[in-house]
Amino acid sequence: MSSLFVNIIDLDKTNGHVICSLQTSIVLFVCQYVKAPVILVISKNIEAKDNKFKFSINDLCYSIILEKDLPRPASDCLLPVFQNNNGYYCTAGFCSSIRMLIKSIQKNWIWLLGFRQSCLSACAEVSSWTKYCEVLLQASTNSFFNYQMSDENDTYLIPIQLARFECHLSQPLQIHNINKRLNEKSLHLTQRFADEDNPTLSDVLILPNIYIAYELLGENTMNTFLPLTLKWYKSVLERLNISSYLESIIFDRVKLPKNFILPEVPFHSLYKCDVRRYNPRAKIYVKQNVQDIIQAFDTININMDLSSNNLCPIDWDKLPYEVRPSGGDIPDKRLIRKTQQLENLIHSTLNVVKNGDVVVDFCCGSGHLGIVIAYIVPNITVILIDNKEESLRRAKERVEKLDLKNIMIVHSNLDYFKANFQVALYHVGLCLHGCGVATDLVLEKCLQQNAAFVVCPCCYGGVQDNHILEYPRSQALRKANFSFEDYLVLCHCADQTHFDPNCTKTQQGYTCMAAVDKDRATRAIEVGYNVTLSKLEPPTCTPKNNMLIGIPS
């Protein structure tokens, strides 16, 4: 049977409630609403900063286990986690795990996933809407409970994410076929919900946050400062008949002052890019003297030469069809080049992996790399990780056809993967063409676990400011005051590589690629790694043909 695992701090059977975080309260609220069973995992390691909520479990279908009894691969991830009944596939993360829960229960709940079941399908790293529902709004709600009033005549600043939601509700709906539906008069613009013209999972996940705000601020304050939010709140309660389930969320009533103020926010919907993010659309790159930036980089003491990769070709004909790249639905026009890329990483991985190791294939797509490694070296464990459900569905089909018992699959953002895969001398993290920030997240995961890595970066222009990583990556560049803006110019120009080696832009692009990857390599060297920066063979197999191999010293 498929299971949803949710962590709690403690269970109070006498009073019929659990002690948990806000996020867990929302997950349990959804489970109670859709009448889905849940497994409560008692964990004493929830961070102290998480406010302790209570949730009434009297009408909840649940069972209880200890954290040490979590099965793999669920135990390799941050909860909540939805694990399939096959025992080797799980989905981790707040929105993703709830989406999988909805898909697994009776079909009469599938409407929650909205048009084409796409509601909250994109991960928080790429979707500002998912990030709002999963991270930002909950952080704002928690901020209520950090407030300590000194004078009731003080002025309280209403949490900014509530102001952003109010502004979002004032914007036109952005939904599929809106013009056609307007002509058919099947769309009522006077009533809107968070994501569509009908309630979806987004509304259900946002609702507990607004319920808490309503209870703490009061209806008069809501009507004065957040009138559209109040209207939305009452519409959701009426449409979904969900009020009684909200009462299961128990929290302390924080005393707030008499005066309130609403923060000013940009006048746009929550679908727009994060306003704090460095804006790659500003076209500042073309205004920069790239050669001056390259020269400034060259003056910094980063000495690393590109080496060749002595490739040993694989006899693919001796491997089953499902192991080969052609067995992974790769188009014919890409097949030869994809095969060459895989041979480079497979060869490098086989040089560092040993029996008993855990090999993690990050951003694995359909499992082209990890499945080959798992088949060739059966005495290791391979974990495939990707945030794209459809890609992992194809990987799962291949694994089942091959009957591979040494593979686990994790449908998750990199943030939610926490496995300590450094158990022996070192284990290995792989990543073939992780886009932009993903490459650096993978490298950082490996450095934190003291694991070896074999990584081929991609989409350098996708590097951007984020809440996890700092750029430049190395202390050497930071100490030299190499600016973030100049670093992004290097990343942008690194994407200007083409198959014509005589093109000036291509030569400049490869110079910038090397600069960014030298920074990444230096970051690893600074924490005690031996790192090799090499070219894939043949270099024409992909314009993004740098490979970083790092081994803990």
Side-chain angles (χ1 to χ4, degrees), residues 88-129:
Y88 71 90
Y89 186 110
C90 77
T91 299
F94 178 69
C95 291
S96 296
S97 61
I98 294 175
R99 277 178 48 82
M100 293 303 292
L101 175 72
I102 299 297
K103 288 185 174 185
S104 72
I105 57 179
Q106 300 176 21
K107 294 296 182 183
N108 57 329
W109 291 106
I110 205 70
W111 57 268
L112 280 170
L113 300 184
F115 180 71
R116 292 181 179 173
Q117 300 182 24
S118 61
C119 178
L120 299 172
S121 59
C123 64
E125 284 87 350
V126 299
S127 167
S128 58
W129 179 242

Side-chain angles (χ1 to χ4, degrees), residues 84-366:
N84 287 15
N85 53 12
N86 56 33
Y88 71 90
Y89 186 110
C90 77
T91 299
F94 178 69
C95 291
S96 296
S97 61
I98 294 175
R99 277 178 48 82
M100 293 303 292
L101 175 72
I102 299 297
K103 288 185 174 185
S104 72
I105 57 179
Q106 300 176 21
K107 294 296 182 183
N108 57 329
W109 291 106
I110 205 70
W111 57 268
L112 280 170
L113 300 184
F115 180 71
R116 292 181 179 173
Q117 300 182 24
S118 61
C119 178
L120 299 172
S121 59
C123 64
E125 284 87 350
V126 299
S127 167
S128 58
W129 179 242
T130 302
K131 182 178 180 180
Y132 180 81
C133 296
E134 186 167 292
V135 180
L136 300 179
L137 183 56
Q138 291 180 37
S140 257
T141 302
N142 276 322
S143 71
F144 275 117
F145 302 94
N146 297 327
Y147 180 77
Q148 293 182 343
M149 187 178 71
S150 56
D151 187 337
E152 65 177 11
N153 293 315
D154 286 345
T155 299
Y156 181 77
L157 184 67
I158 294 172
I160 190 170
Q161 300 307 331
L162 294 178
R164 292 185 70 205
F165 187 60
E166 178 75 10
C167 186
H168 172 81
L169 293 174
S170 72
Q171 303 300 306
L173 278 170
Q174 298 181 26
I175 57 175
H176 180 73
N177 271 351
I178 186 168
N179 291 328
K180 178 181 178 182
R181 295 177 63 184
L182 284 170
N183 292 333
E184 294 173 350
K185 297 183 178 180
S186 63
L187 181 66
H188 304 286
L189 292 180
T190 56
Q191 184 176 29
R192 67 157 296 169
F193 292 91
D195 206 16
E196 296 185 12
D197 57 326
N198 287 301
T200 64
L201 181 60
S202 297
D203 296 274
V204 176
L205 298 184
I206 291 171
L207 184 61
N209 297 276
I210 305 304
Y211 164 69
I212 292 169
Y214 177 85
E215 292 293 314
L216 296 178
L217 295 173
E219 181 159 348
N220 289 338
T221 303
M222 292 282 290
N223 193 43
T224 301
F225 295 97
L226 303 167
L228 296 178
T229 302
L230 180 61
K231 179 182 177 182
W232 167 89
Y233 175 66
K234 292 183 175 181
S235 296
V236 175
L237 294 183
E238 180 181 357
R239 179 72 76 88
L240 300 184
N241 192 24
I242 203 170
S243 299
S244 60
Y245 302 100
L246 287 170
E247 294 171 3
S248 294
I249 302 174
I250 305 166
F251 54 92
D252 294 333
R253 267 32 182 193
V254 178
K255 191 169 180 57
L256 299 175
K258 296 179 180 179
N259 304 312
F260 298 91
I261 187 172
L262 189 70
E264 293 185 8
V265 295
F267 190 69
H268 57 58
S269 79
L270 290 166
Y271 303 129
K272 300 293 183 182
C273 291
D274 190 331
V275 295
R276 295 173 302 172
R277 185 176 296 166
Y278 188 76
N279 185 7
R281 301 178 186 275
K283 305 296 182 184
I284 67 153
Y285 312 109
V286 295
K287 302 175 185 177
Q288 302 290 329
N289 188 331
V290 179
Q291 289 303 318
D292 287 348
I293 295 174
I294 292 173
Q295 289 176 10
F297 179 90
D298 288 341
T299 62
I300 301 170
N301 187 26
I302 293 183
N303 298 316
M304 175 170 288
D305 296 324
L306 278 167
S307 61
S308 60
N309 187 33
N310 298 318
L311 186 62
C312 181
I314 294 173
D315 189 351
W316 294 100
D317 291 336
K318 292 184 177 179
L319 300 177
Y321 175 74
E322 292 297 334
V323 175
R324 304 175 202 169
S326 54
D329 298 328
I330 296 176
D332 291 341
K333 64 180 181 181
R334 291 182 53 220
L335 186 58
I336 293 176
R337 290 190 286 118
K338 186 68 173 182
T339 302
Q340 292 169 337
Q341 296 165 27
L342 290 170
E343 286 180 338
N344 279 269
L345 269 78
I346 292 166
H347 172 75
S348 299
T349 302
L350 295 179
N351 284 338
V352 297
V353 76
K354 60 186 182 304
N355 287 339
D357 276 357
V358 175
V359 176
V360 183
D361 184 6
F362 294 97
C363 310
C364 67
S366 298

Side-chain angles (χ1 to χ4, degrees), residues 453-472:
F453 57 81
V454 180
V455 171
C456 178
C458 189
C459 303
Y460 293 73
V463 166
Q464 59 192 14
D465 191 16
N466 61 83
H467 62 289
I468 300 173
L469 301 173
E470 181 181 353
Y471 291 97

Side-chain angles (χ1 to χ4, degrees), residues 2-6 27 31 37-39 80-83 97-98 101:
S2 299
S3 304
L4 178 67
F5 297 96
V6 180
V27 176
C31 291
V38 62
I39 298 177
V81 170
F82 183 85
Q83 182 153 312
S97 61
I98 294 175
L101 175 72

Side-chain angles (χ1 to χ4, degrees), residues 297-538:
F297 179 90
D298 288 341
T299 62
I300 301 170
N301 187 26
I302 293 183
N303 298 316
M304 175 170 288
D305 296 324
L306 278 167
S307 61
S308 60
N309 187 33
N310 298 318
L311 186 62
C312 181
I314 294 173
D315 189 351
W316 294 100
D317 291 336
K318 292 184 177 179
L319 300 177
Y321 175 74
E322 292 297 334
V323 175
R324 304 175 202 169
S326 54
D329 298 328
I330 296 176
D332 291 341
K333 64 180 181 181
R334 291 182 53 220
L335 186 58
I336 293 176
R337 290 190 286 118
K338 186 68 173 182
T339 302
Q340 292 169 337
Q341 296 165 27
L342 290 170
E343 286 180 338
N344 279 269
L345 269 78
I346 292 166
H347 172 75
S348 299
T349 302
L350 295 179
N351 284 338
V352 297
V353 76
K354 60 186 182 304
N355 287 339
D357 276 357
V358 175
V359 176
V360 183
D361 184 6
F362 294 97
C363 310
C364 67
S366 298
H368 302 298
L369 177 59
I371 287 174
V372 183
I373 299 293
Y375 185 86
I376 293 175
V377 192
N379 293 325
I380 65 171
T381 298
V382 174
I383 302 176
L384 306 179
I385 301 178
D386 203 281
N387 59 24
K388 295 182 178 64
E389 186 179 341
E390 178 59 25
S391 296
L392 290 179
R393 183 191 62 78
R394 293 195 294 268
K396 182 171 174 283
E397 289 176 353
R398 297 172 71 187
V399 169
E400 289 176 349
K401 287 179 181 178
L402 292 164
D403 196 29
L404 290 173
K405 303 300 185 184
N406 61 335
I407 282 187
M408 288 183 282
I409 301 176
V410 176
H411 173 210
S412 167
N413 300 348
L414 294 177
D415 284 3
Y416 288 104
F417 181 73
K418 68 174 181 68
N420 184 353
F421 55 98
Q422 191 274 318
V423 180
L425 179 59
Y426 56 79
H427 293 180
V428 188
L430 312 177
C431 186
L432 172 57
H433 287 160
C435 293
V437 173
T439 288
D440 295 302
L441 289 171
V442 169
L443 288 171
E444 198 61 25
K445 287 278 186 187
C446 292
L447 299 187
Q448 290 171 359
Q449 300 295 340
N450 199 37
F453 57 81
V454 180
V455 171
C456 178
C458 189
C459 303
Y460 293 73
V463 166
Q464 59 192 14
D465 191 16
N466 61 83
H467 62 289
I468 300 173
L469 301 173
E470 181 181 353
Y471 291 97
R473 299 298 301 130
S474 68
Q475 289 294 331
L477 257 67
R478 292 181 207 164
K479 288 178 180 178
N481 296 319
F482 197 88
S483 74
F484 175 59
E485 287 75 13
D486 284 352
Y487 193 82
L488 286 189
V489 171
L490 289 180
C491 293
H492 174 78
C493 293
D495 272 349
Q496 297 176 348
T497 51
H498 313 279
F499 283 115
D500 180 6
N502 298 316
C503 173
T504 303
K505 282 286 185 185
T506 296
Q507 294 171 356
Q508 178 179 275
Y510 281 125
T511 300
C512 292
M513 268 178 57
V516 174
D517 289 331
K518 285 178 182 179
D519 173 56
R520 289 165 164 160
T522 303
R523 158 73 181 140
I525 291 170
E526 288 170 348
V527 295
Y529 274 66
N530 295 316
V531 183
T532 302
L533 176 59
S534 62
K535 284 283 185 186
L536 302 186
E537 294 291 341

